[in-house]
Amino acid sequence: MTTGLHPGGPPQDPRPTGNQALPQQERVGPAPLHADNRTGRSVITARAAASFDPVGRSVATARSFVRDTLQGWGFADIVDDAVVLTSELVTNAVVHAGTSADVLCLRSDEGVRIEVADRYPEREIPLQASAVNMGSPDREGGRGLQLCAALAGHWGVEYSPTHKQVWFQLALPERPVGTRTAGPSLPAHLLPLADGRVRVAVVQIDRTGSISAWNEDAEDLFGYAAEQVTGKPLTDLAAWPHTPGTSTGIVEALQLSRWEGSYGIRAASGRVTPVYASHLRVRDTGGEPSTVCLVVRDHERAVLQTPLRASATDTTTSSEGQATDPFEVFIGSPAPDDLDGLLQRTVERARDMLDGDSAFLLLATDDETELEVRASTGLPSARQRFARVPVEAGPGRYGSARMPAVHEDLTVVPGAVPLLGGTGMRSVVTVPLKVEGRLTGSLGVAAESPFRYSNEEALRLQFAADRIALAVESARLGELERLRRGSLSFLVEASDLLAGTLDRDQTLALMAQMTVPTLATWCAVYTIADQASDPYLSYVLHEDEERIDGLKALLSKIAPPDPVPTPGARVWPAPAEAAHQAALRTSMRSLGLGERSPVSSGIGTTLATAAAVGGETVVLPLVARNRVIGMLTLGKPSDEHFRQEILELAEDLSRRAALALDNARLYSERTAISQSLQRSLLPPELPHIEGVEVEVIYRAAGEGNEVGGDFYDVFPIRDGAYGFAIGDVCGTGPEAAAVTGLARHALRLLAREGFGGPAVLERLNSAILDEGARSRFLTLLYGELWPQEDGSAVLKVVCAGHPLPLRLRQDGTVEAAAEPQPLLGVMEDLELYEQTVTLDPGDVLLCVTDGVTERREGTRMLGDDGLTDVLTTCTGLTAGAVAARVMRAVERFASDAPSDDMAILAMRVPGLQVD
């Protein structure tokens, strides 16, 4: 950097002179000052110029240059605005344009003009009518022109093919000579009362805290002569009040650059005199630190007390007579209307105000036990954003957030500000944001060099924090309300989706899809089958589908998180560490420094996977019915952190998802049991009967219900003889299935013992009645079949309360093949008989349960007549085709799903020719 300062005299214009031609220029902005005429209307009394290299550090150096220049000229009133504008314009030059920046400060009787120029090669000159892109107010950079329009009285832009110069002019407030601040004129009756002569004790304290000077007023006020107290510590005389929540005492107060407040002085009489004091930290003639205390009686505090500053909602009057808001004095106008924009503008203005290298702002969580990073500048924001710092933890006790704090060298006190660890920052000043005495946040500014800040900077930053605290808290509460409303809508929708399925795999997919990308960048679901099983990686999802396979492979290689039932999210560092190690090994192999793997997915995939899981990873337990059934893992990429509100929302979602997942598990188990039971109640396969075609169709009522009250069976009895049965137990479900199992196995056992049809059913009736309250009545069609050598078949049939079997002859006629008899499970003494039926070649015997004949559509019912009509159309069809046509006709009869179980048994004796 090169600088030059020229006090007084005519200005030295750095632009070409003589016969050199000036390039065509364009000026943009309100009321621009023509560069050629800038000395014609005002006399330039001082000039300062500097050049800055195209590096990021030049921005802070440029801010220091402008601040020092204006403070040296006595223009402290406009320093902050000038530093902010210079910072934005130099950033555009050295960071965005990548060129050196020239800064020129001009002082005149009208104000200060600052010019910032870059040297971008081959710049395209905009047309005269081109619109000016003011940039987005939410961006950290690129707002130079917008800020010029908001803060400067005049500004403009000058272009050439290789040169762009942005200038702005700040007017000085009109102020009478010798006047710094003044209070308003007051009537006599409003002036504070002074009791007799007002005495102001002047006490000087040396660097050890001992009294070195004691004036006459101090003697009159407290009764001590100067020689009695000289050399004694002030703490021997001071009675310091205890203030809850603070640790500041008289010793700390004497070390501050400025301090005002109340305490007591023990007088010679032994009584404590309440006093009001104003302390000023100075150096004595020997250069040693010293403190001067001005002390009055407490009821005369108006003599010393500084008038209270206006609150953030009050307004003051500018030199032009217009009302200005102290909040907008610091933030600038227009103020951002969203919380993130407001916080980002705050840290940038705070950084510029104290000439820092970085700044950060933390907001308190709802329980005020932690501070969460919400905005930063000059720090790795991706890593710091939403990081949480305990308020009362760490060796440095970040409880200093409740009080202003200055750390001159962080290397001496490591961990004092955990947020700045590893960032290269050496000195930092932090101040609290408080609303009505409640801690709502913390604002800090840091620098790379040590001993940059003192108590004076802490007071300036605290003043700024007081201006914006209420606005920040109001915006935070508004954002929190919007988040809560959005969370309620999200949870309602999630509950509806999870309640709409009982499929385990679909539930897992819904859990992941609801969290990605709404709550996290990636998600993994671990499930636990039982207490003796280890967690199993069941589902993985990433917002970028190309990252799913790499993420799944990475998670498969590391041990799953421990299934801890403690509610809430806990950090799981294993994925980020594993990804970092995998990326490191891949990078080393690519450089020939490690063993080469025979199979490699490539360095790009590994590094991409590492970036995808490089942020914070949290685990939430899935607890249902007092048992951990799995874990929901959420992750962020590239050192990002989760917000507290997002974790709370994820915790609510995990509770709902756990219950839905457990319901799906129970339903799957119930379905598996039902299917297993049904398989045990139905014959494993139909026997092959020589000369007879047999076909069965079975449908259990209810979605997913495989166990019903209907059953069928076809089984060999002895050589050449086969038994068949079709029945219907009252009701459905497990209770009916129990009777079904009893009936099917009893039929086989009794028939193979040589009992005839009536005897088999009578003994089955007794067995059902023996079940007592668990018994169910049963309709049953039982028969025995004997194929004949002439191609016919002889059947002996007993129909106990069951729909009658129908016989279809070759000529298309249909008739009942049996007579009705009493059903089983109702009466003890039954007298049943069997009927003999001969099926000629081509004949069909159709047996159905009442679920077929009682199929309804409104008031219509299929009935026996409807079934007969359907069977009439089945002449010449095989047994399988007959059963299929009947089932199709039954399903089409009504649009609703069947409400009863259905079973169809068709037997056909083939004729000489099959159509």
Side-chain angles (χ1 to χ4, degrees):
M1 179 188 77
T2 59
T3 62
L5 182 63
H6 311 278
Q12 299 178 4
D13 199 327
R15 294 178 298 172
T17 59
N19 297 327
Q20 295 179 342
L22 289 174
Q24 183 180 359
Q25 298 177 341
E26 177 190 7
R27 296 173 177 80
V28 183
L33 292 177
H34 197 286
D36 294 336
N37 297 332
R38 64 187 177 197
T39 61
R41 294 189 295 177
S42 62
V43 177
I44 294 179
T45 57
R47 167 198 301 265
S51 296
F52 302 93
D53 297 330
V55 294
R57 178 62 183 151
S58 295
V59 179
T61 308
R63 290 198 299 266
S64 298
F65 165 70
V66 172
R67 180 181 301 279
D68 294 343
T69 299
L70 297 190
Q71 287 181 340
W73 290 347
F75 296 155
D77 294 329
I78 61 174
V79 164
D80 288 342
D81 287 343
V83 167
V84 169
L85 295 177
T86 303
S87 177
E88 291 290 339
L89 298 179
V90 173
T91 299
N92 290 340
V94 303
V95 176
H96 302 299
T99 75
S100 60
D102 298 329
V103 179
L104 175 64
C105 301
L106 301 175
R107 183 184 71 184
S108 68
D109 54 353
E110 293 185 353
V112 173
R113 172 177 168 131
I114 298 178
E115 301 175 356
V116 179
D118 63 34
R119 303 180 183 277
Y120 192 82
E122 299 181 358
R123 182 185 303 279
E124 180 181 354
I125 302 176
L127 299 177
Q128 182 71 24
S130 298
V132 180
N133 183 8
M134 301 298 287
S136 171
D138 296 328
R139 296 176 52 195
E140 184 172 348
R143 293 196 307 265
L145 299 183
Q146 194 172 24
L147 288 176
C148 286
L151 301 179
H154 303 280
W155 63 278
V157 183
E158 300 174 357
Y159 281 100
S160 74
T162 60
H163 172 89
K164 184 184 81 170
Q165 175 179 283
V166 182
W167 60 267
F168 60 89
Q169 181 164 323
L170 300 174
L172 298 177
E174 296 182 3
R175 188 174 61 202
V177 176
T179 301
R180 292 292 293 176
T181 59
S185 300
L186 292 176
H189 67 278
L190 294 179
L191 296 176
L193 292 175
D195 208 4
R197 177 186 172 188
V198 177
R199 299 184 181 274
V200 179
V202 180
V203 182
Q204 189 164 358
I205 314 298
D206 62 19
R207 65 180 304 168
T208 65
S210 300
I211 300 173
S212 59
W214 184 268
N215 72 343
E216 294 181 359
D217 281 359
E219 294 181 3
D220 292 339
L221 285 174
F222 308 119
Y224 296 107
E227 58 271 13
Q228 291 180 280
V229 294
T230 301
K232 292 185 178 180
L234 181 63
T235 53
D236 291 351
L237 305 179
W240 191 262
H242 175 66
T243 304
T246 66
S247 58
T248 304
I250 182 64
V251 176
E252 289 79 10
L254 293 174
Q255 298 297 319
L256 296 174
S257 60
R258 295 179 184 275
W259 186 88
E260 289 184 21
S262 299
Y263 54 92
I265 295 292
R266 293 184 181 89
S269 62
R271 299 177 62 87
V272 175
T273 303
V275 299
Y276 187 86
S278 175
H279 298 178
L280 177 63
R281 188 78 162 161
V282 298
R283 286 188 298 173
D284 59 20
T285 56
E288 293 294 324
S290 175
T291 301
V292 175
C293 307
L294 305 180
V295 185
V296 298
R297 294 185 181 90
D298 190 66
H299 64 271
E300 296 173 340
R301 63 169 56 201
V303 177
L304 298 180
Q305 187 172 21
T306 301
L308 295 177
R309 295 191 300 265
S311 65
T313 55
D314 293 337
T315 58
T316 58
T317 303
S318 65
S319 58
E320 290 80 7
Q322 297 178 345
T324 59
D325 188 347
F327 164 72
E328 291 193 352
V329 170
F330 177 71
I331 292 297
S333 181
D337 57 359
D338 65 303
L339 178 60
D340 288 336
L342 174 61
L343 300 183
Q344 192 62 39
R345 180 80 64 83
T346 298
V347 295
E348 292 169 12
R349 296 302 298 269
R351 175 202 62 192
D352 297 341
M353 184 179 69
L354 297 188
D355 190 23
D357 297 307
S358 64
F360 55 89
L361 191 148
L362 303 90
L363 292 184
T365 55
D366 288 344
D367 55 5
E368 298 184 5
T369 61
E370 291 182 315
L371 294 174
E372 186 177 58
V373 180
R374 291 300 304 271
S376 65
T377 181
L379 295 175
S381 57
R383 178 166 67 89
Q384 304 294 346
R385 186 165 172 80
F386 301 126
R388 291 175 297 280
V389 179
V391 175
E392 302 290 350
R397 288 179 61 83
Y398 205 77
S400 60
R402 302 184 185 276
M403 293 286 291
V406 177
H407 297 279
E408 295 180 335
D409 192 349
L410 292 177
T411 59
V412 178
V413 190
V417 184
L419 177 66
L420 299 180
T423 61
M425 300 297 157
R426 295 286 299 276
S427 56
V428 62
V429 52
T430 61
V431 297
L433 274 69
K434 292 185 177 181
V435 175
E436 297 179 351
R438 181 172 53 87
L439 178 69
T440 62
S442 177
L443 177 63
V445 178
E448 296 177 352
S449 57
F451 305 103
R452 176 75 69 84
Y453 301 115
S454 64
N455 292 329
E456 186 68 30
E457 283 78 13
L459 292 175
R460 292 181 61 202
L461 190 60
Q462 183 65 72
F463 185 33
D466 293 342
R467 300 189 206 184
I468 57 98
L470 186 60
V472 169
E473 179 67 2
S474 177
R476 186 186 74 87
L477 293 177
E479 180 194 64
L480 186 60
E481 180 64 22
R482 290 191 296 272
L483 285 175
R484 287 175 176 170
R485 291 182 181 179
S487 299
L488 290 176
S489 300
F490 174 79
L491 292 175
V492 168
E493 182 179 358
S495 299
D496 290 342
L497 291 174
L498 292 172
T501 178
L502 289 173
D503 182 81
R504 175 182 175 276
D505 293 338
Q506 188 173 359
T507 302
L508 291 172
L510 284 175
M511 290 171 57
Q513 291 168 5
M514 284 185 292
T515 56
V516 176
T518 305
L519 305 181
T521 304
W522 63 270
C523 161
V525 183
Y526 292 84
T527 56
I528 304 175
D530 52 60
Q531 295 181 353
S533 302
D534 294 329
Y536 174 75
L537 182 61
S538 298
Y539 202 92
V540 176
L541 184 65
H542 193 281
E543 64 180 2
D544 184 355
E545 294 182 358
E546 297 180 356
R547 302 283 177 262
I548 295 178
D549 292 339
L551 178 59
K552 186 181 299 182
L554 177 69
L555 295 177
S556 301
K557 295 178 182 178
I558 61 178
D562 296 331
V564 179
T566 305
R570 54 191 174 93
V571 177
W572 185 34
E577 294 173 356
H580 175 74
Q581 294 297 327
L584 180 61
R585 288 192 299 269
T586 304
S587 300
M588 293 179 66
R589 284 197 299 268
S590 67
L591 297 174
L593 302 177
E595 298 181 359
R596 291 191 174 273
S597 175
V599 179
S600 177
S601 59
I603 185 173
T605 302
T606 303
L607 294 179
T609 302
V613 299
E616 189 175 53
T617 301
V618 296
V619 178
L620 297 105
L622 299 175
V623 181
R625 298 175 175 90
N626 298 321
R627 186 174 73 88
V628 180
I629 64 171
M631 286 88 69
L632 177 64
T633 303
L634 306 179
K636 287 279 190 179
S638 303
D639 293 330
E640 289 190 15
H641 294 267
F642 286 95
R643 295 184 58 179
Q644 186 65 30
E645 294 85 353
I646 295 298
L647 293 179
E648 293 173 357
L649 181 58
E651 186 177 355
D652 287 339
L653 176 64
S654 67
R655 287 194 291 266
R656 289 165 169 79
L659 187 58
L661 186 61
D662 199 48
N663 289 339
R665 177 187 62 83
L666 294 175
Y667 180 77
S668 299
E669 291 179 358
R670 175 182 176 276
T671 302
I673 294 172
S674 176
Q675 292 173 347
S676 177
L677 178 59
Q678 184 62 50
R679 285 192 295 269
S680 69
L681 299 179
L682 299 177
E685 59 183 9
L686 298 177
H688 175 71
I689 303 177
E690 188 69 29
V692 179
E693 299 174 358
V694 180
E695 183 64 32
V696 175
I697 297 179
Y698 178 85
R699 296 284 190 276
E703 182 181 358
N705 187 12
E706 299 293 338
V707 178
D710 291 7
F711 69 95
Y712 67 90
D713 200 2
V714 180
F715 56 92
I717 299 177
R718 50 189 174 273
D719 293 341
Y722 296 86
F724 66 91
I726 184 170
D728 184 4
V729 179
C730 175
T732 59
E735 295 82 1
V739 179
T740 299
L742 172 65
R744 193 175 75 83
H745 292 95
L747 287 176
R748 287 197 173 204
L749 179 64
L750 294 173
R752 288 171 177 173
E753 289 294 325
F755 292 99
V760 169
L761 267 62
E762 289 170 0
R763 285 166 173 75
L764 176 59
N765 181 64
S766 299
I768 294 174
L769 292 176
D770 288 343
E771 292 293 311
R774 295 182 299 175
S775 65
R776 299 290 184 96
F777 65 80
L778 167 67
T779 67
L780 180 64
L781 172 65
Y782 174 75
E784 297 179 355
L785 169 67
W786 288 271
Q788 303 298 311
E789 295 181 356
D790 61 356
S792 62
V794 176
L795 294 83
K796 292 184 178 180
V797 181
V798 180
C799 186
H802 199 77
L804 300 179
L806 300 179
R807 175 182 181 181
L808 171 64
R809 297 182 180 274
Q810 281 189 322
D811 59 2
T813 59
V814 177
E815 60 184 6
E819 296 177 354
Q821 300 185 59
L823 50 78
L824 308 180
V826 178
M827 298 179 294
E828 293 185 359
D829 298 327
L830 290 180
E831 296 182 0
L832 303 175
Y833 59 91
E834 60 184 10
Q835 296 174 273
T836 303
V837 179
T838 301
L839 296 180
D840 296 326
D843 289 354
V844 176
L845 184 71
L846 178 66
C847 309
V848 300
T849 58
D850 59 4
V852 174
T853 57
E854 295 180 0
R855 177 73 164 146
R856 293 180 180 275
E857 173 68 21
T859 58
R860 298 187 306 116
M861 186 174 70
L862 180 63
D864 295 334
D865 294 339
L867 181 61
T868 299
D869 294 339
V870 174
L871 186 59
T872 302
T873 65
C874 298
T875 303
L877 300 180
T878 64
V882 172
R885 178 170 292 187
V886 171
M887 178 57 72
R888 185 164 56 251
V890 172
E891 291 175 343
R892 291 178 177 178
F893 184 80
S895 58
D896 296 336
S899 58
D900 196 4
D901 305 328
M902 294 186 294
I904 299 174
L905 171 61
M907 294 183 292
R908 178 178 182 271
V909 179
L912 299 177
Q913 181 179 359
V914 179
D915 295 335

